[in-house]
Amino acid sequence: VQLQASGGGLVQAGGSLRLSCAASGRCFNNYGMGWFRQAPGKEREFVGGIAWTGGFTKYADTVKGRTTISRDTAKSTLYLQMDDLKPEDTAVYYCAAGRTASTLPYDYPYWGQGTLVTVSS
């Protein structure tokens, strides 16, 4: 299984970014896909999740209303659209595949390498 995250960068507060995660190596129909983030000195935290087959999404309260998670099964790609970004959103963002609906990192056995998002004030 390979998950390749991309799309991070430097953005000003109030701006937007779309992260992508290309998935390959197996059929993900029975998996949930998640986005997590880890800021310096902090634990990895759940951002949002979606069932690969659709019909379910879940967001952390800290990003709800500003973030949309989606996937394109034809392209085997997961997306995270983030709007109205805040400096506290600065972190390395990881995509992961694992247990649908879980917000816990240990329920996701497969991880991408992470992409850095930096939000300047």
Side-chain angles (χ1 to χ4, degrees):
V1 173
Q2 287 191 329
L3 300 173
Q4 183 75 30
S6 61
L10 175 63
V11 63
Q12 288 189 331
S16 298
L17 275 179
R18 188 176 80 157
L19 306 184
S20 300
C21 176
S24 62
R26 72 178 302 142
C27 175
F28 290 94
N29 284 350
N30 294 325
Y31 282 81
M33 307 298 291
W35 285 98
F36 291 78
R37 67 186 182 186
Q38 188 165 18
K42 295 188 176 181
E43 293 186 351
R44 193 166 296 189
E45 64 174 4
F46 175 79
V47 176
I50 187 170
W52 184 255
T53 52
F56 174 85
T57 55
K58 185 181 182 82
Y59 299 95
D61 288 342
T62 51
V63 302
K64 196 175 293 183
R66 305 187 290 121
T67 299
T68 303
I69 188 169
S70 62
R71 84 280 180 265
D72 184 331
T73 55
K75 296 181 179 180
S76 290
T77 302
L78 176 72
Y79 301 101
L80 183 71
Q81 175 69 40
M82 299 187 293
D83 301 313
D84 190 23
L85 283 161
K86 306 176 186 301
E88 52 264 39
D89 294 319
T90 296
V92 176
Y93 284 71
Y94 298 89
C95 57
R99 181 179 173 185
T100 302
S102 177
T103 63
L104 302 173
Y106 63 69
D107 279 333
Y108 291 79
Y110 305 110
W111 290 83
Q113 85 288 2
T115 185
L116 177 63
V117 172
T118 303
V119 184
S120 63
S121 57

